[in-house]
Every structure is written in C-alpha cells, then in structure tokens.
Amino acid sequence: MNKDAARKLYTSKRKELSTGEIRENSKSIAETFIKSDLWKNCTVIHIFISIPDKAEIDTSFLIDFFFEQHPEIKICTSIIDTNGQDLLHTCITPSTTYIPNRWNIPEPVERLAVHEQDIDLVLLPLLAFDSKGNRVGYGKGFYDRFLQNCKSEVIKVGLSFFRPTDELIEADTWDVPLDYGISPDQLYAFKK
Ligand code: ADP
Ligand code: MG
C-alpha cells in the first residue's frame, strides 16, 4: 500500500470515531503503555500534544500519569522552528501554559530546551502503521527528520487507534520505522 493511499484510508477511518471512542481508545492506549516496561529505564520521554479537532490520540492521560506518579522523569514535547521545517524540543511541567500555533497545535509558552540526544523514548503520532513497523504520518516528514538526530538506541513507539494495516506500507529511504506500536487492544513489538 502506498503512503498516500494509507493516509486517505486512515484519515477517513479516524473521522468515523466519536468523541467518546477517541477518549476510551486513548485511555486504553495510555494504560497499555503504562503497564509495559518500555519506559522503565527512561529519564527523558518525548510526548506529542494532541491537536484539537484532528481526532488525534489524547495523550493527556499519559502526560498526567507521568506528572503525578513519576515526577523524576522529564517529559518533553516539540515546537516547530521558525523555519517551518525542524522541530525544537522543550520540557513540559504541570504548570506549562500552551498557545496554539498556526496549525492549531498547542505549543508551550515557556521554553526549556531539551537536546535530541538526551531523549530516551519518543511516542509518535501516526495515521497508520504496518506489521513490520513502517509508519505513515501526516506527510510532512517532521518525525523522520527529528528521529534521524536522536541517539541510535532511542525507543520509538507509535500510537494508533487502529491495528496494523493488512498490506505492508511502502517505505521510502528516509522513513524511520517504529520499534513498537500500540493500538487500543495490543502492544506490537517489531524486530530490528
Ligand atoms: P510522513 O513521515 O510525515 O508520513 P513522508 O515520509 O512522506 O511523511 O515525508 C515527507 C517529506 O519529508 C518527504 O518528501 C521527504 O522529502 C521529507 N523528509 C523526510 N525525512 C527527511 C530527511 N531525513 N531529510 C530530508 N527530508 C526528509
Ligand atoms: Mg515518513
């Protein structure tokens, strides 16, 4: 399946989800991640902030869990650089305030820079993934460029409302595959 076809299919599948389904599925995904051992040795975890009205996975359950239960773990998120191409990373805390950027993505107002090499685990938003860990995002390649600058052992975990695609996704040379995928009913591990 090519990436464009997967984007179209999974964008429309997402649109069919009700607000209640988005909430319940987001909670299940958060619980699966929390129960896993993936984050147990992590010092810095990167979590995306959900875009309102885009039917994205609501990561607030995970963010609140780490703030409340594991304040020793640093949580960071991304801001789009003024060049519109790269991501900058900043720490978030329970007192962080956010303002929507031009794409309606909430961005932290206070900046506390985090270096890509210090990130131990990245949670990735995606539209679809396949049984080999190939992923399809919104088509701007932000995460492919970001992950290229992270340390080689960074743990990449994709979050999806849907199970892996039946057909494999055609990956490009620059695509960085996932190590794990989480859908509402399961955690998938991909061999390297
Ligand atoms: P997504 O990963 O968001 O689904 P794609 O993988 O289709 O999107 O990538 C979108 C664009 O980003 C591509 O046209 C590609 O040129 C660019 N891109 C991705 N990774 C890199 C990279 N490491 N260096 C330069 N450009 C990149
Ligand atoms: Mg890509």
Side-chain angles (χ1 to χ4, degrees):
M1 180 187 288
N2 74 41
K3 291 198 274 184
D4 273 341
R7 274 185 201 107
K8 282 203 188 88
L9 177 64
Y10 283 84
T11 303
S12 69
K13 272 166 86 89
R14 250 197 205 183
K15 283 192 187 136
E16 289 166 18
L17 296 173
S18 67
T19 313
E21 284 170 322
I22 289 173
R23 193 181 156 77
E24 288 314 307
N25 286 334
S26 298
K27 268 194 187 166
S28 305
I29 290 167
E31 281 162 14
T32 301
F33 181 71
I34 289 165
K35 273 193 220 138
S36 78
D37 286 332
L38 299 179
W39 53 274
K40 296 282 160 69
N41 293 320
C42 293
T43 311
V44 183
I45 299 180
H46 185 285
I47 306 184
F48 61 93
I49 307 287
S50 317
I51 309 175
D53 310 323
K54 232 180 161 188
E56 272 199 336
I57 287 160
D58 182 349
T59 51
S60 62
F61 303 108
L62 280 170
I63 294 173
D64 290 345
F65 166 78
F66 284 107
F67 284 168
E68 286 160 21
Q69 311 283 329
H70 289 279
E72 77 284 4
I73 297 179
K74 260 195 199 177
I75 303 298
C76 64
T77 197
S78 292
I79 293 163
I80 300 177
D81 201 353
T82 42
N83 67 11
Q85 285 288 310
D86 300 314
L87 297 177
L88 301 172
H89 318 286
T90 182
C91 262
I92 54 172
T93 71
S95 56
T96 301
T97 50
Y98 300 85
I99 45 166
N101 68 10
R102 64 184 133 144
W103 296 280
N104 203 29
I105 304 171
E107 288 193 341
V109 177
E110 310 84 21
R111 307 280 163 94
L112 244 173
V114 173
H115 196 269
E116 281 140 338
Q117 293 280 321
D118 293 330
I119 300 172
D120 300 305
L121 185 149
V122 179
L123 291 175
L124 289 96
L126 37 83
L127 279 167
F129 69 116
D130 70 16
S131 58
K132 298 245 187 265
N134 296 310
R135 63 172 283 273
V136 177
Y138 293 127
K140 299 259 191 286
F142 278 113
Y143 275 83
D144 290 320
R145 288 190 297 273
F146 161 33
L147 292 169
Q148 201 185 28
N149 299 327
C150 291
K151 55 188 174 192
S152 57
E153 65 271 30
V154 66
I155 305 167
K156 303 169 287 288
V157 185
L159 307 184
S160 170
F161 286 127
F162 308 102
R163 292 182 191 140
T165 54
D166 294 329
E167 259 180 77
L168 290 183
I169 292 167
E170 290 169 16
D172 287 300
T173 48
W174 60 79
D175 280 316
V176 179
L178 302 170
D179 299 312
Y180 298 90
I182 302 179
S183 63
D185 53 353
Q186 209 182 318
L187 169 74
Y188 300 84
F190 305 113
K191 287 204 187 87
K192 286 213 174 145

